[in-house]
Amino acid sequence: ENERREAEEKVKAEDARKAAVILPGKRLEELKALLVRLREEASSFEEDPSKRQERMNVKKTVNKAVNQIAASKHQVSTKSSELVYILGISEKYGPAASAFCKLLVAEKLIDQSEGQVKLHSRSAFAVAGVISIVMAQCPAMTDVFLAQFHYACTYTFPFFPPKPADASKEDYQKLLGYRPDEQPEQFFERMTGYISLYAALLQSDMPSALGVGRNPYRIANGWTWMARIVNAAPRVITPTLVIAFLEIAGYELSLNYGRQFRKLMMALYERLNKLPAKAPPGATSRLKIHIEEFMARGTIEPPEGRELPESDAQNT
């Protein structure tokens, strides 16, 4: 039984390793092109005065649903149903309205990374549950969500843009996603929200739990993310990203990849010696302790918030 399990873990790890090296640049370009195309399609609906009422209907429904997401299966089911409904209604308004609605749904949900998810990482599971249900019921939304993730936070791929030879510090920070006058500490903290939500999405089983399909974006993508991190040259932001990811997805990765995950964690630990001198000591220390505790115990505790209660009344 142990030999069979280890063989399965090796196969899954190898499949994900191959995915990590298959034209990542091409995939990123495909997702960028998708956003450009949708924005071009949506512009006519967004700017047409005669479509004002339809726009208001779409915006009101999307904003209300996203703002009311709460950490219970009932709320996740209700709010995802409202979003799936408005995505269907927008198609009746025409292709431009459909593109507008797709972008709005993806933007508003992933923007939660900078709101409740950044403040309370456990809330990532409720938002991820809604995203996974929308993906399961509207397959075309999967790439829209991924494109928006990577647009807002390139590290969800992860992709580390190289610094152009003639770029100033300010120009390079803009390329990385910094906002005007944003300090590195603020930028790092903002990026952790996206990483936490992305990590929660990889393990959401809400579509299956509610009988509406399967989450099309599963934990194998988390293994790919970790493989790319380990194989990339360590950056100043690396420990911040990795500890945020492992605190949410480490438990699920350990369940799925067993000994292969242990080997990956050992390789990651060795990479800590090559971190740049300016790497934040707090995140670096947390990551080191996290790995050491896992190596000593052989297990990772489930993250807080992973199991959602059935109703709001149970979430007190």
Side-chain angles (χ1 to χ4, degrees):
E1 177 65 25
N2 289 338
E3 290 181 359
R4 181 186 63 79
R5 185 182 300 112
E6 185 172 0
E8 291 175 350
E9 291 166 356
K10 286 182 178 180
V11 169
K12 288 192 290 185
E14 178 62 16
D15 288 345
R17 186 196 66 78
K18 291 177 180 178
V21 298
I22 295 176
L23 300 176
K26 181 180 178 181
R27 178 59 173 152
L28 273 177
E29 290 304 314
E30 290 174 351
L31 293 172
K32 288 179 182 178
L34 173 62
L35 281 186
V36 170
R37 178 175 62 78
L38 288 174
R39 287 168 181 164
E40 289 176 349
E41 290 180 8
S43 61
S44 61
F45 177 76
E46 195 167 9
E47 298 166 5
D48 188 347
S50 69
K51 302 295 185 181
R52 180 175 178 273
Q53 188 59 47
E54 288 91 337
R55 280 197 305 276
M56 289 180 60
N57 183 31
V58 171
K59 287 181 178 179
K60 181 179 179 181
T61 302
V62 172
N63 288 333
K64 181 180 178 182
V66 173
N67 291 336
Q68 292 181 346
I69 294 174
S72 73
K73 291 180 181 178
H74 172 74
Q75 281 295 314
V76 167
S77 175
T78 300
K79 299 311 161 187
S80 59
S81 295
E82 292 172 6
L83 293 172
V84 169
Y85 170 78
I86 196 62
L87 283 165
I89 290 296
S90 69
E91 291 182 356
K92 298 180 180 179
Y93 295 157
S98 178
F100 176 84
C101 189
K102 287 176 181 176
L103 286 171
L104 187 63
V105 169
E107 289 170 3
K108 292 298 182 181
L109 281 170
I110 291 173
D111 278 353
Q112 295 302 300
S113 300
E114 296 192 29
Q116 58 176 310
V117 175
K118 186 179 74 171
L119 295 174
H120 306 288
S121 61
R122 64 181 180 274
S123 66
F125 291 99
V127 180
V130 172
I131 294 175
S132 65
I133 292 172
V134 173
M135 282 181 167
Q137 295 194 278
C138 306
M141 283 298 296
T142 298
D143 277 1
V144 183
F145 280 119
L146 295 179
Q148 187 60 32
F149 256 126
H150 302 331
Y151 171 76
C153 174
T154 183
Y155 305 116
T156 55
F157 195 71
F159 175 64
F160 299 90
K163 182 179 181 180
D166 58 346
S168 66
K169 177 182 177 181
E170 291 74 19
D171 288 340
Y172 185 50
Q173 286 185 333
K174 183 177 180 181
L175 181 64
L176 293 175
Y178 276 74
R179 290 173 177 163
D181 300 320
E182 189 172 37
Q183 298 302 308
E185 296 80 7
Q186 297 169 313
F187 176 71
F188 287 13
E189 182 182 9
R190 189 162 59 84
M191 292 300 102
T192 63
Y194 290 102
I195 295 299
S196 295
L197 181 56
Y198 182 75
L201 174 62
L202 300 169
Q203 54 191 300
S204 175
D205 64 351
M206 287 301 295
S208 299
L210 298 174
V212 295
R214 293 187 72 252
N215 178 1
Y217 202 70
R218 299 297 294 170
I219 197 62
N221 295 289
W223 184 266
T224 299
W225 190 92
M226 286 293 299
R228 286 175 175 154
I229 284 287
V230 170
N231 291 327
R235 268 74 167 186
V236 172
I237 197 173
T238 297
T240 302
L241 301 175
V242 176
I243 188 59
F245 188 83
L246 286 176
E247 285 179 343
I248 297 294
Y251 173 74
E252 186 72 16
L253 284 168
S254 69
L255 288 181
N256 279 267
Y257 293 97
R259 294 184 183 180
Q260 300 304 311
F261 178 67
R262 186 180 181 86
K263 292 178 182 178
L264 187 69
M265 292 287 269
M266 291 174 63
L268 178 62
Y269 192 78
E270 293 174 359
R271 300 287 280 175
L272 295 181
N273 295 323
K274 300 180 180 180
L275 284 172
K278 292 184 178 180
T284 302
S285 177
R286 282 171 57 208
L287 178 57
K288 184 177 180 180
I289 292 171
H290 187 87
I291 297 174
E292 288 174 346
E293 289 181 347
F294 166 71
M295 300 303 291
R297 297 198 306 252
T299 60
I300 293 179
E301 291 297 313
E304 184 181 359
R306 185 175 185 269
E307 298 298 328
L308 298 180
E310 292 293 334
S311 66
D312 294 350
Q314 294 174 289
N315 191 26
T316 57

